[in-house]
Amino acid sequence: METPEQIKSRLEAAEPGARIEILPNDCPAGERSLLVDPAHALVLAKFLRDDPQLRLDYCSNVTGVDWPEAELNEKIKVKQVVDGVEKEIEEVKKTVRPGFLEVVYHLYSMELKHGPVVLRQRAANRAAGAPAVSLTSVWRGCEFQEREVFDLFGIRMEGHPDLRRILMWDGFKGFPMRKDYVAPDDFEYEPTPHDEVLEEAQKHYLPEVKA
Amino acid sequence: MNAELGVRGHVLALESADMSAHSKNYEILPKASETGEPIGELLKVSMGPQHPSTHGVFRMDVMLDGEKVVKLKPVFGYLHRNHEKIAENISYLGSMPYTDRLDYFCSMTNNWAYALSVEKLAGLAVPERAEYIRVIMAELTRLQNHTCLIGFFVQDMGALGTPLMYAFREREKILDLFESVSGARMMCNYLRFGGVRCDVTTEWLAQAKQLVDGYGKFLDEFEALFTENEILLARTQGVGVLSRELAVNASITGPMLRAAGVNYDIRKVDKYGIYSRFDFKVPLGEHGDTYDRYMIRILEMRESLKILHQALRDIPSGPVMDPKAKLRGFRPKAGEAYGRIESPKGELGFYLISDGSANPYRYRVRPPSFINLTILEDMCLGQRIADTVVILGSVDIVLGEVDR
Amino acid sequence: MAEGSADMEMIDEGLRSELQKQGIYTTSLQELYNWGRANSVWPLTFGLACCAIEMIAASMARFDLARFGAEVFRPSPRQADLMIVAGTVTKKMAPLVVRLYNQMPEPKYVIAMGACAISGGPFKQGYNVLKGIDRYLPVDVSIPGCPPRPEALIHAIMTLQEKILNQKLTGPDRPRHLVAGAPSEFPVPAYGEHDLEPPSNPDVWQPPIMTRK
């Protein structure tokens, strides 16, 4: 199986103009992912499926991930003049990573029996319906999984033949798997509450009891 | 007589109170030919979620032209228990009992898939004896899953009760083994990251060997009832055909894929655990119809028996838990991993993203039953409605896994 | 036996056994009626999740439920008189559970099997999980366990049988199906935007007053 760098170079050769990035993965399993931009996702997916060396004809897993806006603290070493002597001091640099929703695809090959290649698409704009491109026309198995991503994360998969809610009921509003989802309040009866559940349950206690 | 002994809740009274408030679960639509002239009626029926032939709370909205299926849309979510969201709030080990409840027939293999993913994420090694125990448990699970599936499958076709009784008789023997080692019949919660929870005794191994030795005879008895049964042959051959290309493109895995003729068994491809040490074949089908799926499961059971013989013969002594594995304060490094196994229903995978804390950041179950349902409509189009039930039975779904 | 005290004196047991020795069997209408009902409870095939498998195992050869008269699992609610809610009731499924209950003819009973049907169980924190079917339906017997063993289900059926046998047919505590004004159908909740509407049925379930702080 080729390394992500080799795959990236061949993809860029096949489709110039596509922006592909390799994302790191520090854990011992170490499968690094290819981040593609939605405009070229469909073409690149077809290439990955049809290329004779890769033949990634089996899309094993499609899922969404919610990365809300986060403040990253990075410790960097800065050269500063202190008391007349140039020293290296550690400073904490704060950056704000913008929030995004992501769709992750795990691709394997049934013909050549290798894999996985991890493909990612980012939907940057949460407020405007977070669009991403559906790969159902390339791998039919993505159909239900992309509907689930739409249902639970709210990522609109453009080009999907039948995009509607699959696990929640049709009139449901809200996207439960997002990190900022607030569950409905049905904590009226909690026999042994503690921590957050206790706070929620206390809202239902009678006022004379709460005092 | 006594006015208090009036008749309450007469059926007709319920009808009139009920029907106005709720919509009917069937609809009659006009059917038009290509030129637009009305030539009949189409019936739209909602089959389920409470239905004697569905494997759980599963609903199919079927459009029928006479008896033939014109359109079929599966509806699920009636058992959506928010497993993935709950897992983000509890620790890694705390999710292990929830994995039991995904595919509630096969709790040991669910546990193994999750333990494998976490071991990939954290880089844990598993001692040999634990690997052998895992293989034994997984193959026992495969045996009882396929046996019960065939029992349910034949029950859906009308053989009410008796084959299922035979299947459950054998399943109870296997559940006895599970109960003596883990304390629970179904929700075993037995595997841990880096091994298994506790060791098996020599008496347990002897009992398992006795079960495995007797299982071949039970399978012969079971097969004698079904494999050449003319009713089964008439109802399953040529029904629900799935082609190779569609199966691969639709991400089908497990016995359904192999019945369509594709040689892809994750035990042979990924060689996870110690499966490379065992000598077993992968049965493949030719036609991709329901009968092939039934036969594949029978043959897979026989291959599982071979694996069990070898595992029970070769199991070494030693520890069953990685001494370096931490049970408390388990915090894997930030990163992500995808681990998968060949569960009795297909490829069961877990995708975990860790951010360095004790709870997973993203916990995703790749459910084989959910994805195998993608082509249910394709397989059922043009078949009669009675075949829909048979085809659904052969797909082998468990709603706990479909809806999570 | 029209009016008179609600607790009609049952036949003296000594007299009854004396008569039985002579070949004369005596009973009362209440005993006979309850005996017939208790020993032929027909459950509805209504397994939702994992507890359903233990329910099926209870009706199989090892834990034979047929000995208790509950062998015939009816697929249609119109023909059943016991609904064993076995498994997690989700909010998507809850209106259908109530609708099925409404379709059952009186007298009807509900067994809440497993922790999920009693109170949401291990999935209690879920946004789609109904925290107990007793929010919408009157439950007669609850079986704790996850899943409860088939023996526990048999114990629950026996408890239900005792409850039916001890029901008095006249008087203020007669069963619901003999009370002229008691409802036998319960309102079906509707799918709201974030939760079911109403989240519980106040006639059936009132959360107990919490006295802890």
Side-chain angles (χ1 to χ4, degrees):
Chain A
M1 245 275 292
E2 303 175 331
T3 64
E5 284 84 6
Q6 288 171 319
I7 301 178
K8 177 181 171 191
S9 53
R10 291 211 296 128
L11 283 173
E12 280 173 339
E15 180 71 20
R19 292 193 313 275
I20 309 172
E21 215 184 296
I22 297 185
L23 298 175
N25 183 4
D26 291 329
C27 76
E31 294 141 7
R32 289 172 296 154
S33 5
L34 295 167
L35 174 65
V36 299
D37 58 316
H40 296 97
L42 206 53
V43 175
L44 294 175
K46 283 209 181 81
F47 179 84
L48 287 171
R49 184 189 65 181
D50 299 329
D51 176 53
Q53 273 179 301
L54 287 173
R55 291 294 294 157
L56 294 168
D57 49 4
Y58 167 49
C59 175
S60 165
N61 177 30
V62 179
T63 186
V65 193
D66 182 15
W67 298 99
E69 204 177 270
E71 212 179 67
L72 298 171
N73 296 335
E74 232 180 277
K75 289 203 173 93
I76 51 169
K77 291 199 185 333
V78 172
K79 284 203 167 88
Q80 267 195 357
V81 178
V82 172
D83 300 330
V85 182
E86 211 176 279
K87 271 201 232 173
E88 257 196 17
I89 305 180
E90 262 193 18
E91 240 186 32
V92 176
K93 186 171 101 171
K94 285 190 199 283
T95 47
V96 172
R97 185 198 65 202
F100 53 86
L101 291 162
E102 189 168 64
V103 189
V104 184
Y105 297 81
H106 283 84
L107 306 167
Y108 286 81
S109 169
M110 281 199 183
E111 207 179 292
L112 303 175
K113 307 217 182 346
H114 62 216
V117 169
V118 187
L119 205 64
R120 290 175 121 94
Q121 269 191 65
R122 284 201 186 149
N125 200 345
R126 290 160 86 124
V133 174
S134 158
L135 300 183
T136 303
S137 49
V138 182
W139 294 289
R140 175 87 189 273
C142 300
E143 187 180 336
F144 282 4
Q145 300 185 76
E146 286 182 348
R147 268 178 73 182
E148 185 193 332
V149 168
F150 166 64
D151 183 7
L152 298 180
F153 285 91
I155 303 176
R156 292 205 64 82
M157 309 298 297
E158 295 181 347
H160 193 279
D162 183 16
L163 194 68
R164 54 195 164 98
R165 284 198 181 262
I166 194 170
L167 291 175
M168 301 303 294
W169 61 85
D170 282 325
F172 191 77
K173 290 208 167 49
F175 300 110
M177 282 298 288
R178 287 196 186 176
K179 297 283 177 183
D180 52 4
Y181 175 73
V182 174
D185 184 11
D186 43 7
F187 293 89
E188 306 94 324
Y189 174 49
E190 294 288 332
T192 51
H194 55 89
D195 303 339
E196 302 100 16
V197 178
L198 178 61
E199 287 165 26
E200 297 281 342
Q202 278 176 332
K203 294 182 194 151
H204 290 273
Y205 290 0
L206 297 174
E208 57 266 19
V209 168
K210 270 196 273 197
Chain B
M1 268 294 289
N2 194 339
E4 291 166 336
L5 279 172
V7 177
R8 285 286 315 132
H10 194 261
V11 175
L12 284 176
L14 278 174
E15 274 279 4
S16 53
D18 211 12
M19 290 308 260
S20 54
H22 310 115
S23 56
K24 303 193 285 246
N25 64 349
Y26 68 91
E27 241 180 277
I28 299 183
L29 303 163
K31 174 175 139 184
S33 67
E34 280 96 45
T35 51
E37 23 178 273
I39 50 173
E41 285 173 346
L42 294 171
L43 180 67
K44 180 161 167 242
V45 183
S46 144
M47 285 172 71
Q50 189 263 345
H51 191 277
S53 308
T54 55
H55 297 248
V57 282
F58 176 69
R59 182 175 134 204
M60 293 191 277
D61 279 339
V62 185
M63 187 105 78
L64 295 171
D65 176 13
E67 279 231 0
K68 291 217 177 328
V69 175
V70 169
K71 198 163 115 158
L72 187 147
K73 290 284 171 221
V75 180
F76 29 82
Y78 292 101
L79 198 60
H80 181 50
R81 296 185 281 196
N82 326 316
H83 175 35
E84 298 183 1
K85 185 87 183 178
I86 291 175
E88 287 177 9
N89 295 330
I90 52 181
S91 66
Y92 285 89
L93 192 56
S95 290
M96 187 64 96
Y98 287 92
T99 59
D100 285 331
R101 289 151 175 89
L102 276 175
D103 169 3
Y104 31 85
F105 269 100
C106 316
S107 75
M108 292 284 191
T109 45
N110 296 352
N111 285 352
W112 193 357
Y114 183 49
L116 193 78
S117 309
V118 175
E119 282 155 14
K120 271 180 89 162
L121 184 68
L124 298 170
V126 181
E128 279 228 3
R129 188 173 166 90
E131 291 277 19
Y132 273 89
I133 294 177
R134 284 180 174 190
V135 169
I136 295 172
M137 296 299 181
E139 296 307 317
L140 282 173
T141 310
R142 200 179 307 271
L143 279 179
Q144 57 98 13
N145 175 277
H146 286 336
T147 314
C148 290
L149 174 81
I150 294 177
F152 283 120
F153 176 62
V154 191
Q155 183 174 8
D156 285 350
M157 280 195 257
L160 289 171
T162 311
L164 196 59
M165 294 264 182
Y166 278 91
F168 267 75
R169 183 190 73 189
E170 297 305 314
R171 185 181 130 96
E172 293 289 338
K173 293 183 194 157
I174 297 182
L175 290 187
D176 280 343
L177 284 173
F178 286 168
E179 190 179 7
S180 62
V181 76
S182 73
R185 281 151 53 93
M186 273 164 60
M187 313 303 180
C188 302
N189 189 14
Y190 180 57
L191 272 77
R192 296 285 179 268
F193 313 134
V196 294
R197 193 176 125 243
C198 55
D199 205 348
V200 296
T201 56
T202 37
E203 291 88 20
W204 190 94
L205 289 169
Q207 192 183 351
K209 186 155 190 331
Q210 194 187 11
L211 172 86
V212 170
D213 288 338
Y215 215 87
K217 185 159 160 294
F218 161 70
L219 273 184
D220 291 334
E221 196 180 80
F222 213 43
E223 264 201 276
L225 279 176
F226 301 123
T227 305
E228 302 197 352
N229 184 324
E230 53 187 338
I231 301 182
L232 187 91
L233 290 174
R235 282 204 71 170
T236 57
Q237 281 188 331
V239 166
V241 177
L242 180 62
S243 65
R244 283 185 63 126
E245 297 75 30
L246 185 58
V248 173
N249 194 248
S251 310
I252 309 294
T253 49
M256 267 187 82
L257 178 72
R258 294 193 280 281
V262 180
N263 185 356
Y264 195 76
D265 182 331
I266 299 175
R267 294 175 288 177
K268 293 277 195 195
V269 170
D270 278 1
K271 301 190 184 54
Y272 61 93
I274 41 165
Y275 272 109
S276 46
R277 292 189 207 175
F278 298 109
D279 168 38
F280 65 101
K281 297 207 234 333
V282 175
L284 291 178
E286 273 178 13
H287 306 279
D289 61 4
T290 314
Y291 186 69
D292 274 0
R293 284 175 224 140
Y294 156 79
M295 272 317 288
I296 291 279
R297 293 190 167 105
I298 297 271
L299 294 171
E300 275 194 6
M301 280 201 270
R302 295 205 187 268
E303 298 299 322
S304 289
L305 287 176
K306 274 198 234 166
I307 301 179
L308 278 167
H309 273 296
Q310 293 166 51
L312 287 167
R313 184 191 64 203
D314 296 337
I315 181 169
S317 55
V320 287
M321 190 71 192
D322 182 13
K324 290 204 295 289
K326 285 204 303 187
L327 283 178
R328 290 182 192 280
F330 176 66
R331 274 172 216 255
K333 264 174 70 175
E336 59 180 51
Y338 179 65
R340 58 186 196 155
I341 62 156
E342 178 76 24
S343 86
K345 304 212 158 49
E347 172 187 323
L348 176 64
F350 279 79
Y351 174 54
L352 294 165
I353 302 186
S354 155
D355 57 353
S357 72
N359 302 349
Y361 185 81
R362 173 82 176 103
Y363 169 104
R364 148 85 180 173
V365 181
R366 187 261 186 221
S369 310
F370 183 64
I371 296 167
N372 288 355
L373 283 175
T374 312
I375 35 83
L376 185 65
E377 182 174 10
D378 295 69
M379 286 198 290
C380 289
L381 285 180
Q383 311 274 351
R384 294 192 206 91
I385 186 156
D387 296 332
T388 326
V389 172
V390 169
I391 295 171
L392 180 66
S394 73
V395 173
D396 193 2
I397 59 166
V398 165
L399 263 294
E401 199 172 54
V402 171
D403 290 339
R404 280 152 286 137
Chain C
M1 60 187 102
E3 33 32 59
S5 63
D7 299 331
M8 283 279 304
E9 282 293 327
M10 290 298 127
I11 303 166
D12 178 40
E13 287 300 321
L15 177 60
R16 189 203 288 241
S17 58
E18 277 300 319
L19 287 172
Q20 269 183 5
K21 287 189 199 131
Q22 304 294 326
I24 301 177
Y25 287 84
T26 57
T27 183
S28 68
L29 186 64
Q30 176 177 309
E31 270 180 36
L32 189 62
Y33 181 73
N34 287 342
W35 173 82
R37 285 193 305 139
N39 291 329
S40 69
V41 182
W42 286 3
L44 175 67
T45 56
F46 195 54
L48 292 166
C50 346
C51 285
I53 310 301
E54 292 292 47
M55 184 170 77
I56 296 174
S59 67
M60 287 290 131
R62 185 186 270 198
F63 301 106
D64 205 8
L65 201 54
R67 321 174 253 173
F68 299 93
E71 172 187 26
V72 193
F73 276 80
R74 308 304 299 166
S76 161
R78 308 271 185 206
Q79 299 165 3
D81 43 17
L82 167 67
M83 184 159 91
I84 305 181
V85 182
T88 319
V89 187
T90 56
K91 291 184 182 167
K92 193 168 177 180
M93 189 68 197
L96 293 102
V97 178
V98 181
R99 220 200 281 186
L100 278 168
Y101 182 78
N102 289 347
Q103 289 177 349
M104 286 164 68
E106 289 276 11
K108 49 191 172 180
Y109 302 96
V110 174
I111 289 184
M113 177 176 179
C116 291
I118 296 176
S119 71
F123 301 97
K124 197 171 179 145
Q125 313 159 35
Y127 48 85
N128 190 29
V129 174
L130 185 70
K131 300 191 180 20
I133 189 62
D134 59 345
R135 284 187 175 216
Y136 290 109
L137 297 178
V139 170
D140 294 296
V141 183
S142 308
I143 321 175
C146 191
R149 286 189 63 108
E151 288 104 327
L153 178 61
I154 293 177
H155 185 199
I157 303 258
M158 286 167 65
T159 312
L160 183 68
Q161 285 180 337
E162 268 176 42
K163 178 173 174 174
I164 298 176
L165 280 170
N166 293 333
Q167 277 181 338
K168 295 194 174 14
L169 299 183
T170 56
D173 25 275
R174 61 186 185 279
R176 194 178 71 221
H177 68 281
L178 296 172
V179 176
S184 70
E185 287 178 37
F186 292 87
V188 177
Y191 291 132
E193 289 185 355
H194 298 280
D195 196 357
L196 290 172
E197 271 146 27
S200 62
N201 184 349
D203 300 323
V204 174
W205 183 77
Q206 283 294 340
I209 316 255
M210 300 305 288
T211 52
R212 269 178 272 152
K213 289 195 215 19

